[in-house]
Amino acid sequence: MAKKILCIPLDPVHDVGIKLIRNQLAQHGHETELLSPDLPMEAIVKKAAQGKYDFILVSRTLGYGVAELLARFNDLLDAAGVREVSKIVIGGKPITPELAAELGFDKGFGEHSTIEEVLAYIEGREVSNASIGPKRSKRDIPAGHSYKFYNPVVERLLSEICDKLIAWTSTKTSPGIERAKLREEILASTDEKKRAALEVRYLSLSDDAIRTSKTKNVFPKGVRRVSNTELDALKDFLRRSRPHIPSTIQHNPDQPLIFKFLGSGCPLMDITHGKICERWGVNGFLIINPSWEARYEGLLDGYLTHENDGTITSLDNLRLIRQSLDANTLLTVRAHRGLNTPETVLLAGEAGADLTKIDLVYGSLGAGTDPQRLAVDGVEAIRLAARYNMPFDIPGNDELSGVPAWKTLAGLLVNVMLGVKLGAKPILKPLFCYGPHIVINGQMKQNFVDYNAAKIFALREIIDCPIWPGEPIAFMTQTEERVQSANSTSYHAALAATLGVDAITIASTDEAYSRGPISITSRIDSIRAVTDAFRFMGNAQIAPTRHAEAFTEDLIEQITDVLKEVNAKENLPQAINAGILGSEEDGAYPGKFGAGSMSNEQ
Amino acid sequence: MVDKAIDAVMDAIDIETYLVCRDPNEGKALALKLGQELNLGDIDIMFEEFDGYGVRVRLRKYIYKPGAQYRWLTH
């Protein structure tokens, strides 16, 4: 039923908020009147008494002496009998429900109140979360990209490099590939005896630490099983908790998706952090595994928690996280790090993940896996990603070791071509960072815009491929100072929005603090900063200077030269070992895990 | 509802303040002492910035680290 409402800007200047609320109330069918902001209090009270309003909405900014003024206003309303027929409501930036009650009002709305809350109060109903904000939807990141190459020289070089790599790997297998096949059989089998026999074969291809954990229930240091009590408590927590007035980060639908890392070590903590981040509008998460997992042949099973960084890759953990998050939240699982790349992709696919993360070059240079082993495992992993219809993102984080951007971008493009040839959907992840090579060589001496923009321009001149800068954006520009960190993330997010990229990964404001896990408040800090940046930018543009064009031309030429050198080698691992995609002088070292573990396929 | 408010802390308590002091070392000592006086035990100084008059600090105390038993979950 329509209500009769008088809107009073009891403030000499600020009447914008009450005008907005009045418009919304009118749009919802209520009968509203708005007074001018300069009326004397007695005239307002006379009007309020004559009109027999259901509600009187007062807008006022607080300051010295305002409490007394509002108390007098309430006294006058009382004396005129207005309070007997009307509910008196106050709104203003610093108003809280407690303060409103203290000042004698029936209800108060403050800075974080929403129109929906005001409407629900006026209409005498509960606030409906479902009706607030746009519903979450899942964006298909590669959709709309053709993977068409615009640079024929680069296309030819990449094609030749990848053909040689696919041919070289075609006769090889590894314990990682064999375990992935066994795991698939185990998951498909309903015969207990057969499963047990397959498990024995799986363990014969695993390291002692994995065997011990499965046969003797003795886990690596800091790892324990999640108890049934904890799992039940999580279910209860998820059942009784709901996002209150969920918000979105994007101001318009063209702005990039926002991803955050999850990988606290504990799936329960990941899930609770994830649910809160969903409320604040985060679109997706990247599951990060522990560094020690990279060194072991074989993966652990079950619901497992871990005291240190990195959440353990088990099917139960991945499924628990996937099922606990909103169905429209995107989930990607890091696979390229270590000796379990194909199996990790398999588990991600089985758990219902949306994407996976594979980079044959960075995984060899920055994550310690032998280039030959990762080449063999990586090709199989990309095939599995294609089979599960999971796009894979390719992070260029080797740049953080000191590798020049053009070498990193060349490596990313090799992965893209490999993905295209194997029927998968690759996603480029150039860094928005102040990397060591850039610091030394001064490409960001003038600003942080031109060189980051040039990376995107260069890639777009080469191929139409989805681009998702990371990882996270603003890497090495953030300090331990919270406001600076949030600002830096938001400026880089604004640049990403202006460049029209598909997604970005953002840090938390404790990103530069390395002595403990990420806290939920720090996560929210950076999300809020990016939300404001997106609102600030809207559909406007940051204009790079003319230096960005020169950087773009240089990058394309340098990428082409690197790819020529890679193509001159017999295969990709040989090029990586020769330092063509990042040398010891740059700060990159080919990994050793799994060296010599390949065999010819039977 | 949990019995104690501290049990409801999801992971960490951060304290941001400005401590009047003569030099960075005094600021650091005061920051650590503040954690003790607030009964938070050992705290970590996440950030400190001395400006001549005092030190702007952000202190952190982890109530729960990953892998712990979270009372806000299982109470």
Side-chain angles (χ1 to χ4, degrees):
Chain A
M1 188 182 149
K3 304 289 184 189
K4 192 175 175 187
I5 303 160
L6 181 65
C7 300
I8 305 170
L10 201 65
D11 191 301
V13 183
H14 302 105
D15 64 345
V16 176
I18 192 114
K19 280 180 177 165
L20 290 171
I21 288 167
R22 188 254 179 133
N23 287 346
Q24 288 288 324
L25 291 168
Q27 278 176 25
H28 284 78
H30 299 292
E31 187 187 331
T32 61
E33 278 181 71
L34 176 69
L35 299 185
S36 64
D38 52 357
L39 290 177
M41 203 174 279
E42 289 72 14
I44 295 170
V45 172
K46 190 176 171 190
K47 172 79 177 162
Q50 287 170 347
K52 306 286 183 203
Y53 297 95
D54 297 306
F55 292 93
I56 291 175
L57 306 190
V58 180
S59 148
R60 175 71 212 201
T61 305
L62 289 189
Y64 290 117
V66 174
E68 290 77 9
L69 180 143
L70 291 171
R72 184 168 155 251
F73 180 61
N74 270 327
D75 287 345
L76 289 171
L77 290 174
D78 259 339
V82 176
R83 296 192 71 110
E84 289 166 21
V85 287
S86 309
K87 296 265 188 204
I88 318 295
V89 181
I90 186 162
K93 215 168 185 180
I95 301 291
T96 60
E98 296 76 21
L99 183 61
E102 201 178 304
L103 293 169
F105 289 86
D106 293 301
K107 186 75 179 172
F109 294 99
E111 185 181 8
H112 302 297
S113 302
T114 63
I115 295 283
E116 164 61 18
E117 286 177 296
V118 179
L119 273 168
Y121 175 71
I122 296 285
E123 292 168 1
R125 59 175 169 79
E126 291 291 312
V127 175
S128 160
N129 289 341
S131 65
I132 301 163
K135 289 197 167 34
R136 292 177 71 84
S137 60
K138 194 180 268 190
R139 204 187 293 175
D140 178 2
I141 295 174
H145 294 280
S146 64
Y147 294 102
K148 180 180 163 48
F149 278 88
Y150 303 124
N151 183 317
V153 175
V154 170
E155 181 180 15
R156 179 185 58 76
L157 288 166
L158 288 170
S159 185
E160 289 175 13
I161 291 164
C162 292
D163 284 345
K164 283 192 286 182
L165 178 63
I166 292 167
W168 181 78
T169 59
S170 65
T171 57
K172 294 174 179 60
T173 188
S174 76
I177 292 175
E178 296 307 311
R179 280 195 309 274
K181 289 176 184 168
L182 289 167
R183 174 71 72 186
E184 192 170 4
E185 281 190 73
I186 291 167
L187 291 172
S189 174
T190 51
D191 179 337
E192 281 299 317
K193 275 189 181 171
K194 187 182 172 190
R195 282 167 66 97
L198 290 166
E199 286 282 2
V200 170
R201 281 175 59 196
Y202 181 98
L203 291 181
S204 74
L205 295 171
S206 301
D207 278 331
D208 278 346
I210 304 300
R211 270 198 293 274
T212 307
S213 73
K214 291 195 180 180
T215 55
K216 298 181 180 167
N217 223 16
V218 177
F219 294 107
K221 193 172 179 288
V223 177
R224 69 169 174 87
R225 287 204 187 280
V226 178
S227 69
N228 287 335
T229 307
E230 288 172 308
L231 289 170
D232 289 343
L234 177 73
K235 277 182 201 159
D236 187 49
F237 177 86
L238 296 175
R239 196 171 49 241
R240 64 185 149 86
S241 310
R242 285 283 174 275
H244 178 63
I245 315 171
S247 56
T248 51
I249 298 172
Q250 292 79 12
H251 183 61
N252 66 54
D254 296 330
Q255 289 179 326
L257 297 175
I258 303 295
F259 281 77
K260 272 187 138 347
F261 291 113
L262 288 179
S264 65
C266 175
L268 308 176
M269 186 65 92
D270 288 345
I271 289 165
T272 46
H273 276 206
K275 296 306 291 179
I276 294 166
C277 290
E278 281 179 345
R279 146 63 181 89
W280 290 94
V282 167
N283 306 101
F285 298 98
L286 306 103
I287 305 285
I288 301 301
N289 58 336
S291 55
W292 54 260
E293 208 177 76
R295 299 192 296 272
Y296 292 137
E297 298 274 12
L299 291 169
L300 300 173
D301 283 337
Y303 297 106
L304 298 164
T305 183
H306 177 220
E307 286 174 8
N308 296 304
D309 269 2
T311 298
I312 293 163
T313 308
S314 72
L315 184 58
D316 286 330
N317 275 0
L318 295 179
R319 274 188 176 147
L320 184 66
I321 294 170
R322 172 66 280 175
Q323 289 166 5
S324 301
L325 294 174
D326 188 281
N328 285 321
T329 293
L330 290 157
L331 194 66
T332 179
V333 179
R334 177 164 74 182
H336 64 241
R337 187 165 171 159
L339 304 177
N340 302 292
T341 299
E343 190 182 350
T344 302
V345 174
L346 179 86
L347 296 183
E350 290 292 326
D354 303 281
L355 308 115
T356 186
K357 183 193 282 283
I358 309 168
D359 183 344
L360 274 59
V361 180
Y362 169 52
S364 299
L365 288 175
T369 311
D370 170 63
Q372 290 194 349
R373 170 67 186 266
L374 191 57
V376 172
D377 282 6
V379 167
E380 178 66 13
I382 292 172
R383 286 198 175 103
L384 281 165
R387 216 176 84 195
Y388 281 96
N389 197 25
M390 286 189 297
F392 72 98
D393 56 86
I394 314 159
N397 286 41
D398 32 348
E399 206 182 325
L400 298 176
S401 311
V403 174
W406 56 88
K407 290 188 183 179
T408 294
L409 297 181
L412 299 189
L413 288 164
V414 171
N415 283 278
V416 168
M417 178 57 97
L418 198 54
V420 170
K421 282 184 180 283
L422 297 173
K425 295 174 188 167
I427 300 170
L428 285 160
K429 270 188 163 170
L431 254 64
F432 274 9
C433 73
Y434 194 33
H437 190 271
I438 295 168
V439 175
I440 292 165
N441 291 278
Q443 291 100 329
M444 290 187 170
K445 201 174 171 186
Q446 303 299 326
N447 59 60
F448 285 156
V449 172
D450 290 338
Y451 203 62
N452 282 325
K455 290 181 191 174
I456 307 300
F457 297 151
L459 291 170
R460 282 188 177 147
E461 286 198 24
I462 291 170
I463 185 174
D464 174 18
C465 180
I467 299 181
W468 169 356
E471 179 95 325
I473 56 165
F475 217 129
M476 302 185 83
T477 69
Q478 292 141 332
T479 69
E480 292 179 336
E481 206 279 298
R482 189 168 72 97
V483 177
Q484 187 280 336
S485 180
N487 281 343
S488 191
T489 295
S490 72
Y491 302 146
H492 285 78
L495 177 63
T498 208
L499 292 169
V501 299
D502 298 273
I504 50 175
T505 306
I506 64 168
S508 304
T509 55
D510 50 9
E511 172 68 30
Y513 168 75
S514 54
R515 298 182 296 281
I518 287 167
S519 75
I520 187 61
T521 51
S522 300
R523 288 184 184 276
I524 296 169
D525 283 346
S526 59
I527 299 170
R528 290 204 66 148
V530 172
T531 306
D532 275 357
F534 280 6
R535 175 66 189 90
F536 181 79
M537 289 306 299
N539 58 357
Q541 297 287 303
I542 292 172
T545 76
R546 60 186 167 77
H547 292 294
E549 286 175 35
F551 285 145
T552 304
E553 282 175 28
D554 286 350
L555 281 171
I556 294 171
E557 199 178 312
Q558 290 159 329
I559 289 167
T560 310
D561 288 345
V562 169
L563 292 175
K564 281 177 186 167
E565 281 189 73
V566 174
N567 197 31
K569 296 290 179 187
E570 280 179 29
N571 54 52
L572 180 69
Q574 202 180 80
I576 294 172
N577 280 320
I580 296 169
L581 291 158
S583 64
E584 291 184 12
E585 196 181 323
D586 296 326
Y589 299 86
K592 303 287 184 205
F593 301 143
S597 58
M598 282 77 64
S599 56
N600 287 328
E601 202 162 33
Q602 299 296 307
Chain B
M1 200 163 109
V2 290
D3 294 334
K4 292 193 290 181
I6 204 161
D7 290 347
V9 173
M10 179 161 274
D11 41 35
I13 295 174
D14 288 358
I15 298 170
E16 289 185 344
T17 192
Y18 190 98
L19 298 165
V20 178
C21 58
R22 282 166 293 193
D23 58 56
N25 287 337
E26 186 189 0
K28 196 172 177 177
L30 284 169
L32 295 172
K33 197 160 175 270
L34 182 65
Q36 300 288 342
E37 288 176 10
L38 293 172
N39 288 325
L40 290 173
D42 291 333
I43 54 168
D44 199 16
I45 302 175
M46 296 185 78
F47 165 76
E48 56 183 302
E49 188 173 52
F50 179 72
D51 61 11
Y53 301 90
V55 67
R56 181 170 164 239
V57 288
R58 183 182 179 196
L59 313 170
R60 175 167 287 186
K61 174 69 182 177
Y62 283 101
I63 305 302
Y64 301 113
K65 286 199 173 179
Q69 307 270 353
Y70 317 120
R71 286 183 291 277
W72 48 262
L73 186 68
T74 54
H75 73 273

